[in-house]
Amino acid sequence: MKTIKDVFVDYRIGLANLYDTNELEAITLLTVSEICNLSKAKIKAFPETELPPEQIERLTNTLTQLKTRKPIQYILGKTEFYGLPFYVNPSVLIPRPETEELVEWVISSVGSSQLAVGSGQLAAGGILDIGTGSGCIAISLKKNLPQYNVAAIDISETALQTAKENAQLNNVDVEFIKADILNAEQPFAFHLSPFTSNHSPLTNHYSLIISNPPYVTLHDKTQMHANVTDFEPHNALFVPEDDPLIFYKAIADFAATNLVENGLLFFEINESYGNEIVELLSSKCFKNIELRKDMSGRDRMVKAAI
């Protein structure tokens, strides 16, 4: 019978040309943990543990898929974001650590914001996540800021279905609506929360709007790994080379007319366009604009008030 140590050797040999040593180790550890239902600490402590044939078969099948560069999160069908579990599939982007930093910034900003009144609720309106995908941003915000109404939009019905399943998985109330921010002339028609009857209706006046929109240019694509470009949804990734800020312009225009006074706008951004996005927001009369770097030292987030 094969041992945990044998599996690590097989994965190291099979994936050596695709991943660096640290990433390969992390993928193997995650895979063994999920398939064998073992803690990562136990895997490291007892590498000579023998594994039953059915688990070896699943681990072998997973290795075969990994050799095609398919992301492990899609193979397993789930991932973790901001300490919460999320289902993922090729209709949604795999949540990134940088986006966790954006969520953390929102939570800390709301806690100290001039918008907070009384028991900590926003002065008016609620929170809107534009381009929600798996729902990771909206759900994480609702989980950590449960007193706020949270709504989220996406153009993809399959993404919205995944987001709804993730809201149920995490036991939170988020309203998901199919809408296209590039054609947002008509106000979104929100309803009472489908989960409870005591929520106020969500309107088109928000205290906080957040978005991690498509921002990858075709030039950027040439420098990306195939496990992203071949498997993750292109409509959630790429923008026209001649109009890379198309979503930022549309969202800024929407926010300028749909945020309450002193409402906050948060973006995740392409590191190459930080200054341009700051200038864009300034031209649309946003104030207190802050450009922030991610853990890797790259311009990645913007916060502004209206």
Side-chain angles (χ1 to χ4, degrees):
M1 293 183 71
K2 281 195 172 184
T3 65
I4 289 173
K5 183 179 179 180
D6 293 331
V7 171
F8 271 76
V9 171
D10 289 346
Y11 272 56
R12 194 175 302 120
I13 294 171
L15 302 174
N17 294 329
L18 301 179
Y19 300 99
D20 64 38
T21 303
N22 290 338
E23 195 170 12
L24 203 160
E25 180 83 7
I27 288 171
T28 310
L29 192 60
L30 173 63
T31 305
V32 175
S33 176
E34 289 291 337
I35 290 177
C36 303
N37 195 27
L38 296 170
S39 71
K40 293 177 182 178
K42 191 169 185 178
I43 292 168
K44 291 180 178 180
F46 303 103
E48 302 299 333
T49 301
E50 293 186 342
L51 300 174
E54 61 271 17
Q55 291 182 355
I56 292 297
E57 183 179 2
R58 285 190 64 195
L59 288 163
T60 302
N61 291 339
T62 299
L63 177 58
T64 300
Q65 292 185 72
L66 284 167
K67 288 178 179 178
T68 70
R69 296 181 182 268
K70 186 174 184 178
I72 185 60
Q73 295 90 339
Y74 286 159
I75 297 172
L76 297 175
K78 60 182 178 180
T79 191
E80 185 178 290
F81 178 87
Y82 210 72
L84 301 172
F86 286 87
Y87 299 125
V88 290
N89 55 61
S91 72
V92 299
L93 290 180
I94 297 166
R96 301 313 202 262
E98 295 86 351
T99 309
E100 291 180 312
E101 294 183 76
L102 179 67
V103 168
E104 177 62 31
W105 195 12
V106 170
I107 293 170
S108 61
S109 295
V110 168
S112 60
S113 172
Q114 58 185 312
L115 292 169
V117 295
S119 62
Q121 296 207 354
L122 297 182
I127 296 172
L128 177 66
D129 174 27
I130 297 176
T132 195
S134 66
C136 63
I137 291 176
I139 290 165
S140 298
L141 290 178
K142 182 64 178 178
K143 195 75 172 179
N144 288 275
L145 303 169
Q147 66 271 43
Y148 306 148
N149 284 327
V150 178
I153 69 169
D154 203 285
I155 195 172
S156 165
E157 289 186 5
T158 51
L160 288 170
Q161 182 57 43
T162 302
K164 289 175 183 177
E165 292 170 1
N166 281 326
Q168 293 172 350
L169 176 65
N170 286 285
N171 194 31
V172 295
D173 303 352
V174 175
E175 185 164 10
F176 296 101
I177 301 102
K178 184 181 180 184
D180 181 3
I181 193 61
L182 298 182
N183 294 285
E185 293 86 0
Q186 297 297 320
F188 305 129
F190 293 119
H191 310 285
L192 284 170
S193 165
F195 299 98
T196 61
S197 59
N198 60 354
H199 283 185
S200 300
L202 292 167
T203 70
N204 62 333
H205 297 291
Y206 307 97
S207 294
L208 191 149
I209 293 175
I210 183 170
S211 184
N212 176 18
Y215 60 63
V216 179
T217 65
L218 295 180
H219 173 72
D220 296 329
K221 181 181 178 181
T222 63
Q223 304 172 50
M224 296 174 70
H225 293 297
N227 61 340
V228 175
T229 59
D230 290 355
F231 292 96
E232 299 201 50
H234 285 198
N235 67 336
L237 280 170
F238 298 113
V239 290
E241 194 74 37
D242 61 349
D243 195 6
L245 303 186
I246 182 171
F247 285 95
Y248 295 96
K249 294 173 186 174
I251 295 167
D253 286 338
F254 179 84
T257 56
N258 289 278
L259 278 171
V260 299
E261 185 177 359
N262 294 318
L264 298 177
L265 174 63
F266 286 85
F267 280 136
E268 182 171 323
I269 66 166
N270 184 322
E271 64 184 275
S272 301
Y273 293 100
N275 291 331
E276 288 86 345
I277 292 172
V278 169
E279 291 172 6
L280 169 69
L281 293 173
S282 180
S283 72
K284 296 182 182 296
C285 300
F286 283 85
K287 59 190 179 182
N288 302 328
I289 303 167
E290 183 179 349
L291 176 62
R292 181 174 286 196
K293 298 182 185 299
D294 62 20
M295 65 183 81
S296 300
R298 298 182 175 95
D299 290 341
R300 187 64 66 197
M301 296 162 277
V302 172
K303 170 186 172 185
I306 192 66

